[in-house]
Amino acid sequence: MATEETLILIKPDGVARGLTGEILGRIERKGYVLADMKLVQPDRALLERHYAEHAGKPFFEPLIEFMLSGPSVAVRATGNRVIEGFRSLAGTTEPTTAAPGTIRGDLGRDWGLKVQQNLVHGSDSPESAAQELEIWFG
Ligand code: IDP
Ligand code: MG
């Protein structure tokens, strides 16, 4: 079976709200393997690399500040089509409108803050997965 790997982050809001176990459980129940995992307090340089594609957008600086606000859990997850599969589990970017049944749709909401605190990140392609796994796991 073709196996793929992806970078999943449980963002600072997910960790702070005590949702790490709930989110990891959903990934495991879907059948993906947690191949590596750690709690990380990233620095600005790491986050600017991770979010390089969004540099210059109005939400870039608030996003970096949010991601600096506390630790994230970084996960290397593996499985057939895990990149696409985890993004489907996560739901669309805005938690208010993300479909019920998804992580963002069930557990997230609009808190009235400038930055979307949408609980999780998942790589969006094999190329970004390779790059992001290198950034977070070396
Ligand atoms: P994704 O996480 O669903 O792939 P991206 O468009 O790659 O979404 O955006 C990266 C992150 O930046 C989002 O997860 C969210 O935290 C934040 N973000 C995206 N768009 C906005 C916005 O319009 N306002 C504030 N934050 C945003
Ligand atoms: Mg993205």
Side-chain angles (χ1 to χ4, degrees), residues 15-94:
V15 174
R17 288 177 56 205
L19 294 173
T20 300
E22 165 71 30
I23 293 168
L24 292 175
R26 287 176 181 229
I27 298 166
E28 287 192 303
R29 292 201 297 278
K30 182 75 174 178
Y32 299 129
V33 172
L34 307 177
D36 200 356
M37 184 163 60
K38 60 182 174 179
L39 188 73
V40 191
Q41 177 60 67
D43 62 15
R44 177 174 289 271
L46 185 153
L47 293 168
E48 287 182 351
R49 284 179 69 206
H50 175 78
Y51 280 124
E53 64 170 309
H54 297 300
K57 295 184 185 170
F59 62 83
F60 181 71
E61 185 55 31
L63 173 62
I64 299 292
E65 294 290 333
F66 162 58
M67 293 296 292
L68 283 169
S69 70
S72 289
V73 172
V75 180
R76 180 193 302 272
T78 63
N80 191 41
R81 298 178 71 192
V82 66
I83 294 174
E84 193 183 0
F86 176 73
R87 286 183 63 91
S88 175
L89 279 187
T92 50
T93 306
E94 267 191 83

